[in-house]
């Protein structure tokens, strides 16, 4: 039995479980990959053989993320004009970071009524 000193690397099943736990989220296959939507608006996909996630991210923040952590975040060429960023699952610091990223993207896609019904969703703990 090896002692785990690092958190388990999140995988596609973690993405699916966390995304589907967010209010009114559905999964739909599009472009031959799983996509996750809230009230019909896509907020996450599982591209690259499900080794990464693509999520909504304001362009200013996205550029800062990619510059700060290029091993973790990058911009796919065909998504450059959109406010989306990719994150490598293997580079994430466990499930908490994955949950934060997915909840943040969910908030950007969710309608006002859901945001008002779940004001704390995805916000940093203790904030």
């Amino acid at each position: 039995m090896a002692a785990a000193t690092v958190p388990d690397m999140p995988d596609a099943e973690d993405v699916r479980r966390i995304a589907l736990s967010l209010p009114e989220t559905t999964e739909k296959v599009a472009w031959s990959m799983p996509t996750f939507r809230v009230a019909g608006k896509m907020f996450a996909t599982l591209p690259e053989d499900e080794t990464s996630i693509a999520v909504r991210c304001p362009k200013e923040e996205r550029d800062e993320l990619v510059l700060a952590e290029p091993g973790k975040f990058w911009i796919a060429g065909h998504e450059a004009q959109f406010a989306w960023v990719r994150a490598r699952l293997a580079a994430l610091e466990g499930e908490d970071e994955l949950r934060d990223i997915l909840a943040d993207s969910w908030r950007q896609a969710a309608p006002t009524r859901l945001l008002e019904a779940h004001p704390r969703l995805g916000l940093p703990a203790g904030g």
Side-chain angles (χ1 to χ4, degrees), residues 50-62:
E50 301 188 5
T51 59
S52 69
I53 53 174
V55 291
R56 291 174 175 263
C57 185
K59 287 185 181 179
E60 316 74 57
E61 281 179 41
R62 174 185 79 173

Side-chain angles (χ1 to χ4, degrees), residues 1-114:
M1 231 167 60
T5 53
V6 292
D8 284 341
M9 178 186 97
D11 62 17
E13 286 312 306
D14 295 319
V15 172
R16 181 169 280 113
R17 177 175 45 79
I18 293 168
L20 292 174
S21 75
L22 297 168
E24 295 189 30
T25 294
T26 57
E27 179 176 350
K28 178 182 176 185
V29 173
W31 308 286
S32 306
M33 67 181 153
T35 67
F36 299 92
R37 299 157 192 258
V38 56
K41 283 183 76 175
M42 197 162 53
F43 70 91
T45 68
L46 272 166
E48 273 88 42
D49 299 325
E50 301 188 5
T51 59
S52 69
I53 53 174
V55 291
R56 291 174 175 263
C57 185
K59 287 185 181 179
E60 316 74 57
E61 281 179 41
R62 174 185 79 173
D63 296 342
E64 288 174 23
L65 278 176
V66 172
L67 283 172
E69 298 186 80
K72 187 181 291 186
F73 298 103
W74 85 99
I75 300 165
H78 66 282
E79 292 167 354
Q81 72 270 37
F82 304 108
W84 284 76
V85 70
R86 300 277 178 103
R88 290 171 181 83
L89 293 177
L92 298 182
E93 291 156 28
E95 210 173 281
D96 287 348
E97 186 176 22
L98 175 61
R99 183 175 287 110
D100 289 348
I101 290 170
L102 287 170
D104 189 56
S105 186
W106 179 91
R107 275 200 312 276
Q108 293 174 58
T112 306
R113 67 178 173 79
L114 277 179

